[in-house]
Amino acid sequence: MDEFALIRRYFSAIGSGDGVHLGVGDDAAVLEVPSGDLLVTATDTLVAGVHFPLDEPAAAVGYRAVAVNVSDFAAMATRPRWFTLALTLPNADSEWLQSFSAGLRDAALVNDITLVGGDTTRGPLTISLTVLGCAPTESIRRRDGAKAGDTLLVSGPLGDAAGGLRLLETGTVDTGAERHLVERFRRPPSRWRLAVRAAPQLHAAIDVSDGLLADLAHLATASGVAAEVDAGRLPCSDELLERFGEGDALRFALTGGDDYELLVAAPASAVAELETLGFIAIGRFALGEGVHVSGGPDLGLADSGYRHFRDAAS
Ligand code: ADP
Ligand code: MG
């Protein structure tokens, strides 16, 4: 099958088509941007063997490619609308493509976004997505707005995806807990609706892709404040605790990546309402700089550039 037939077959009708003047098939996509809105866009690339194991099922690769890209929109408290797909493939294996496009379609439905174009080339398996959306300037949330005195909250459990990836790499996925953790790696949560709802209460937001401490450091540095994490309040799933025990669960929650939960800064007056939306308070922002962890066992994180304090007063 030639490249064009392949594109038509697997990638021409993914998503509702909402706001699409011209989609897959012409030389470029043409989209309807509401007047007065800003255009928001983000790109992320997944390389096989680097961002996911080489033997991942194609449907999981497709789902995750969409989910991790949409997560950047959640982090901006913006609704994603459209995406393009730059696909580099070692060969046009139609079984793999069918399964990959099913995963893509599944995630597009969950996130209510439409595939509007892309590019297909030959080479080592690499999936690059660009997501587009529009929003009025006042509803967009950035990573540089946290203020000293703000509360730090997270939108769900941390560490599961890192646990799941560890299981995929070590080759044992048998129990219910193990399958749950692998699913959390393969199907990152869709948080953009939550973010849009919470936006009026938020000073700043970022998504957890590289790990809580790393992403929190980005937010704190951009905002010019210090962040303090209370290790005792970190939400870890029962499955993570059951499979890995408390020490490793905490290590995954602090330093593991791939959870794609939202990390936000909000004034104290907003915390109760954010908690009713499902956010969990895990720390605070203060004058100063850096990321500090209080409570919990000493995990020896100083080596990785983070400072550890046994209690917040030290
Ligand atoms: P061109 O030479 O015009 O760039 P392409 O073969 O690259 O032609 O693309 C033809 C059409 O198919 C374009 O509308 C493009 O956006 C779309 N397309 C190509 N690859 C993909 C893909 N992987 N996913 C979605 N659309 C694609
Ligand atoms: Mg092209």
Side-chain angles (χ1 to χ4, degrees):
M1 196 188 316
D2 73 19
E3 181 190 315
F4 298 104
L6 187 149
I7 293 163
R8 267 198 309 280
R9 175 142 168 205
Y10 295 111
F11 300 116
S12 48
I14 293 184
S16 68
D18 187 30
V20 181
H21 196 84
L22 201 51
V24 172
D26 213 306
D27 294 303
V30 181
L31 308 167
E32 291 158 21
V33 180
S35 69
D37 276 8
L38 299 175
L39 181 65
V40 181
T41 182
T43 298
D44 253 319
T45 299
L46 302 183
V47 179
V50 178
H51 300 101
F52 58 88
L54 286 169
D55 56 357
E56 274 291 88
V61 175
Y63 191 98
R64 196 158 169 277
V66 171
V68 306
N69 273 274
V70 164
S71 180
D72 280 326
F73 271 66
M76 303 302 287
T78 297
R79 178 190 165 194
R81 303 281 307 277
W82 312 290
F83 68 110
T84 61
L85 167 67
L87 188 57
T88 305
L89 293 168
N91 50 54
D93 174 339
S94 68
E95 206 178 305
W96 190 92
L97 278 166
Q98 182 174 352
S99 164
F100 174 78
S101 75
L104 213 64
R105 180 171 281 107
D106 192 6
L109 255 175
V110 165
N111 287 289
D112 195 17
I113 60 173
T114 302
L115 180 62
V116 296
D119 199 25
T120 308
T121 52
R122 207 169 284 272
L125 179 60
T126 304
I127 301 117
S128 186
L129 264 70
T130 295
V131 181
L132 301 143
C134 340
T137 180
E138 63 276 9
S139 70
I140 295 168
R141 286 299 169 274
R142 307 159 43 136
R143 57 174 68 175
D144 62 3
K147 295 180 174 40
D150 277 357
T151 298
L152 168 68
L153 303 98
V154 69
S155 60
L158 294 172
D160 283 355
L165 182 57
R166 166 76 61 85
L167 294 171
L168 286 173
E169 286 167 349
T170 56
T172 55
V173 185
D174 298 317
T175 67
E178 289 169 344
R179 281 195 297 274
H180 172 86
L181 298 175
V182 166
E183 274 307 286
R184 291 273 295 164
F185 173 78
R186 288 183 172 161
R187 297 175 72 92
S190 173
R191 297 288 184 230
W192 71 261
R193 293 176 182 85
L194 174 67
V196 168
R197 211 173 314 137
Q201 316 287 342
L202 305 181
H203 282 162
I206 196 168
D207 61 325
V208 182
S209 53
D210 297 333
L212 172 64
L213 294 182
D215 292 306
L216 182 55
H218 296 319
L219 191 151
T221 302
S223 298
V225 292
E228 294 172 1
V229 175
D230 186 347
R233 301 180 74 169
L234 289 181
C236 288
S237 71
D238 291 344
E239 289 86 351
L240 188 67
L241 290 165
E242 175 194 318
R243 178 59 181 79
F244 287 100
E246 221 171 304
D248 274 350
L250 185 59
R251 188 182 300 276
F252 283 140
L254 286 167
T255 63
D258 298 314
D259 283 312
Y260 297 98
E261 294 291 352
L262 281 175
L263 205 56
V264 301
S269 58
V271 169
E273 183 169 342
L274 290 171
E275 284 175 339
T276 66
L277 292 178
F279 283 94
I280 303 134
I282 59 168
R284 65 206 69 79
F285 293 91
L287 292 176
E289 59 180 56
V291 174
H292 312 276
V293 181
S294 65
D298 190 337
L299 297 173
L301 297 173
D303 291 349
S304 52
Y306 300 101
R307 296 167 65 192
H308 177 270
F309 294 96
R310 285 215 159 266
D311 59 69
S314 61

